[in-house]
Amino acid sequence: MSEERASDRVIAGLGVSPGIGIGTIHVRESGALDVPEYSITGSQVPDEQKRLKNAVDRARRQMARLRSKARGRLNTTANLTSNEFGYLLDAYIHMLKDSRLVRGARDRIADDRINAEAAVQAEVVAIVREFDAMHDAYLAARSEDIREVGKRLVNHLTKASVRPLSTVPKGSVIVAEELTPADTAQLDPRKVVAIATQVGGAQSHTAIMAQALGLPAVLGASGLLATIKSGDQILVDGDMGQIVVNPTEQSLELFQRRRNDHLREKKRLNRLAKQRAVTRDGVEISLQANVELPLEMANVAQVGANGIGLLRSEFMFMNRPTMPSEDEQFEAFRSLIERSEGAPVTIRTADFGGNKSAAGLVGEFGESASSTLGLRGVRLSLARPEFLETQFRAILRAAAYGDVRILLPMVTTVSEVRTAREILARAARRLHRRNIPIPIALPPLGSMIEVPGAALASDALAQVSDFFAIGSNDLTMYTLAIDRGDERVAHLYNPLHPGVLRLIQFAVAAALRARIPVSVCGEIAGDPRYTGLMLGLGLRELSMTATNLPRVKKCILDLNLVAANRRAQMVMEQMDPMRIQALIEEFNEGD
Ligand code: PEP
Ligand code: MG
């Protein structure tokens, strides 16, 4: 959707990360190969075939180097998860030998008298078309491999490898069809000023990552790529969900004023950093931070969070071909714990799967590991117990340096927690045998409540868990059957649906009955509109993106808990999400 405003072009999308960013467009290429294509003469054929051969050799050498690096890691860390990556590389190397792809491209240069890049592209398209026509899952996966190898060959031919996102120039606005959470985790907020994409929902991990990095973001802006080109000026308004291409002076002035207002408000709120979050009737609430990457720690300290309530550990180990060793994870966790200066740190074991992929971990599980209903979170970790045990050993070693809790993502059954606890005990025994210091009492092991079945069985889960962290993002997605990353159903995603609120209430009540701590760490915890409701439902611990914390704290300072309890009861009697929304707004306005 695009509208003209004065003389600048405005495109609407979902404002998923607040603030306004103005910069130069850097278009992120998607998977499609965009290759130069031209005719050659008969006498140029041998030279062109030689160019192809050189590119094939270079690509094969590059793969072999990666392969031996993976092997080195395998030997030094006994990390068997790099096996899959090795197999994949072997398959790529094989495809670069005298394969159908290479032979086909060489023949096309001679037969069709076209340049090497175009010949590779044509052969890739032909092979993929044949594979697709066979409707076979195995061949469908091979199509991806063929495309990947074709892309590498073309890159070697044109010498224009895709520029990594981490090296874009200062002042760039990243524009793409879609950014994965792993892409977003590569962005350097000192260089990138905002993000705009055609695809993506408001609760996606890409949105969460943008907030964590403090980058204004608009996702789900349909038609965006057709209206822009690299080098254009662009303004991304994450508050209003608008993108302005080549903004006029008038627009720029207006937005600059709003940006200054933002900064002033942030400064004012940050003055609350040293103040405790105590309600008007004297109840202290623990406000903690959700953290994905170490670079967020400066912000965590600035807003005065009471520790880390959710470390999404998978983000620290994305964008790499193999999984991290025990030592590497230990160092990463220890550094975060030390920077938390004694405040509690809740480390969630890797929540890979769904749209958060890890090359070294998910290879053998195919589509199940990229499905939100498949091998995700603790399910994937339990399918690779050696990976979970390595992560537990790293966390246990780091726990000697501070107050640590361990959290399991995507728990559905009691047996998952029991098995994870056994693996934790085994990890501790191994460390004892190696004489490595770990705390005498093992860290508490908690469960994320983010699957409706887990919420409904929370009485049973409370018996085997030391604490609960309610993940309202996934709980909303799974309860309402709405993909949190799909912009087309974003308007239906609503954590205020009575089905979701009842599950939260149920899980909180079960935790309170079992006398175990319970927090909420989904996005609902960082939205001040819902703070009264959260406290009214009995929550005393909230964990959120650090930038949201000051506004939630301000709300708590103005809040009366007795009134919040009464209002929560009234909300829970409602059936209609619209009525619930209206009631909450009425309460908030009345304060
Ligand atoms: C959640 O689902 O609410 C949650 C906190 O986990 P994540 O957003 O990482 O899936
Ligand atoms: Mg979740």
Side-chain angles (χ1 to χ4, degrees):
M1 209 196 328
S2 157
E3 88 186 52
E4 292 293 323
R5 190 173 58 194
S7 60
D8 44 26
R9 227 167 325 131
V10 182
I11 303 158
L14 301 166
V16 303
S17 178
I20 296 160
I22 303 163
T24 308
I25 292 181
H26 173 94
V27 178
R28 169 78 199 278
E29 299 87 345
S30 61
L33 291 182
D34 187 11
V35 302
E37 192 176 332
Y38 46 85
S39 301
I40 56 169
T41 61
S43 62
Q44 288 172 316
V45 166
D47 280 352
E48 205 57 23
Q49 286 180 328
K50 185 142 192 276
R51 222 162 62 80
L52 174 67
K53 183 178 178 309
N54 289 343
V56 169
D57 289 347
R58 272 201 303 276
R60 215 166 47 209
R61 278 200 300 275
Q62 187 191 43
M63 298 282 177
R65 267 199 307 277
L66 277 175
R67 181 76 181 92
S68 68
K69 263 194 200 162
R71 214 176 271 130
R73 285 209 180 98
L74 188 78
N75 291 340
T76 53
T77 65
N79 182 358
L80 296 176
T81 56
S82 47
N83 262 346
E84 289 75 50
F85 183 62
Y87 293 144
L88 192 65
L89 286 174
D90 282 343
Y92 287 174
I93 293 169
H94 189 73
M95 273 186 247
L96 288 165
K97 289 191 177 150
D98 196 29
S99 64
R100 151 102 195 258
L101 174 62
V102 175
R103 267 184 284 117
R106 198 170 51 220
D107 292 348
R108 278 174 195 274
I109 293 173
D111 300 344
D112 302 344
R113 303 274 166 89
I114 50 173
N115 61 314
E117 292 91 334
V120 170
Q121 166 80 325
E123 193 57 33
V124 167
V125 169
I127 299 175
V128 167
R129 200 171 286 148
E130 266 175 43
F131 282 6
D132 287 353
M134 289 183 208
H135 301 292
D136 177 287
Y138 175 80
L139 288 179
R142 295 292 73 74
S143 293
E144 275 308 304
D145 298 342
I146 298 272
R147 276 202 198 95
E148 178 61 32
V149 171
K151 194 156 86 183
R152 281 173 187 266
L153 269 182
V154 170
N155 285 343
H156 280 288
L157 281 163
T158 58
K159 292 201 186 70
S161 56
V162 178
R163 183 137 59 132
L165 281 172
S166 54
T167 63
V168 297
K170 208 167 168 26
S172 294
V173 172
I174 305 294
V175 177
E177 176 168 19
E178 183 175 16
L179 285 176
T180 64
D183 292 334
T184 317
Q186 282 186 65
L187 301 178
D188 180 346
R190 288 165 306 183
K191 293 178 180 161
V192 174
V193 292
I195 300 172
T197 70
Q198 289 200 158
V199 172
Q203 312 296 326
S204 63
H205 287 101
T206 301
I208 289 172
M209 201 58 230
Q211 283 178 31
L213 296 174
L215 293 176
V218 173
L219 307 186
S222 102
L224 172 63
L225 284 170
T227 21
I228 54 101
K229 59 181 185 320
S230 271
D232 277 351
Q233 275 285 106
I234 192 170
L235 183 153
V236 176
D237 182 347
D239 301 319
M240 309 293 281
Q242 284 189 340
I243 297 161
V244 187
V245 186
N246 289 326
T248 58
E249 279 299 313
Q250 210 183 1
S251 295
L252 285 174
E253 249 173 58
L254 187 79
F255 284 106
Q256 193 60 48
R257 267 206 300 276
R258 271 187 44 213
R259 192 146 73 166
N260 292 344
D261 289 347
H262 253 295
L263 289 174
R264 262 197 303 277
E265 199 209 350
K266 191 172 159 197
K267 252 194 193 154
R268 207 174 43 243
L269 285 171
N270 278 352
R271 282 196 212 114
L272 300 177
K274 295 216 161 43
Q275 215 166 321
R276 288 156 49 218
V278 181
T279 63
R280 286 218 313 260
D281 38 0
V283 177
E284 179 156 7
I285 309 299
S286 169
L287 297 183
Q288 305 188 2
N290 292 352
V291 170
E292 291 73 28
L293 295 173
L295 64 84
E296 293 165 53
M297 289 306 285
N299 213 3
V300 172
Q302 192 181 43
V303 299
N306 304 131
I308 299 176
L310 171 66
L311 175 65
R312 292 179 163 108
S313 71
E314 64 277 6
F315 279 91
M316 294 170 71
F317 309 118
M318 279 177 176
N319 295 309
R320 46 184 297 147
T322 55
M323 293 314 291
S325 66
E326 177 189 318
D327 282 347
E328 191 184 342
Q329 293 190 55
F330 160 63
E331 290 300 346
F333 295 144
R334 186 182 64 169
S335 151
L336 284 184
I337 291 163
E338 284 179 343
R339 290 176 71 181
S340 299
E341 298 177 344
V345 175
T346 302
I347 303 177
R348 183 172 74 181
T349 59
D351 185 19
F352 282 122
N355 64 353
K356 291 182 281 189
S357 66
L361 191 61
V362 302
E364 81 185 76
F365 300 113
E367 290 194 355
S368 184
S370 56
S371 157
T372 44
L373 298 178
L375 275 174
R376 181 187 161 190
V378 75
R379 300 173 189 178
L380 184 60
S381 295
L382 291 176
R384 298 300 305 266
E386 75 285 352
F387 168 72
L388 184 61
E389 196 191 316
T390 304
Q391 188 152 48
F392 278 154
R393 284 200 305 270
I395 299 173
L396 285 173
R397 286 169 61 186
Y401 295 81
D403 179 3
V404 168
R405 306 195 302 178
I406 305 175
L407 180 59
L408 301 170
M410 279 288 288
V411 167
T412 332
T413 64
V414 162
S415 64
E416 287 166 338
V417 186
R418 286 208 178 108
T419 311
R421 202 181 281 283
E422 282 163 18
I423 296 172
L424 180 63
R426 192 162 71 221
R429 280 196 303 277
R430 292 226 163 107
L431 291 171
H432 275 306
R433 279 204 294 274
R434 281 161 52 191
N435 281 329
I436 293 181
I438 60 171
I440 296 170
L442 295 188
L445 181 68
S447 299
M448 292 276 306
I449 302 293
E450 50 186 350
V451 175
L456 290 167
S458 46
D459 270 317
L461 282 169
Q463 300 306 310
V464 293
S465 310
D466 299 320
F467 65 97
F468 280 170
I470 299 175
S472 55
N473 305 336
D474 281 316
L475 191 58
T476 307
M477 166 164 95
Y478 291 120
T479 305
L480 304 182
I482 288 166
D483 186 343
R484 59 193 268 198
D486 183 348
E487 72 284 0
R488 290 175 214 85
V489 285
H491 62 291
L492 298 172
Y493 181 99
N494 185 3
L496 294 185
H497 187 289
V500 180
L501 292 183
R502 280 168 198 190
L503 289 173
I504 294 178
Q505 185 183 40
F506 202 75
V508 172
L512 296 180
R513 269 195 303 278
R515 297 181 194 283
I516 59 169
V518 54
S519 65
V520 172
C521 56
E523 296 309 285
I524 196 171
D527 190 330
R529 287 174 303 175
Y530 309 139
T531 307
L533 177 61
M534 294 295 103
L535 269 52
L537 289 176
L539 286 149
R540 300 292 177 264
E541 266 182 61
L542 300 172
S543 188
M544 64 206 76
T545 300
T547 41
N548 290 337
L549 196 143
R551 266 182 292 148
V552 171
K553 186 184 278 186
K554 167 93 180 52
C555 184
I556 288 171
L557 295 172
D558 292 339
L559 195 133
N560 183 306
L561 207 50
V562 178
N565 288 343
R566 200 178 53 242
R567 290 166 172 187
Q569 252 172 36
M570 287 169 72
V571 165
M572 296 310 291
E573 281 160 14
Q574 304 300 319
M575 303 289 168
D576 175 8
M578 303 276 274
R579 177 73 196 121
I580 292 177
Q581 178 91 39
L583 206 57
I584 289 177
E585 275 167 23
E586 215 177 285
F587 291 153
N588 289 341
E589 276 158 22
D591 281 332

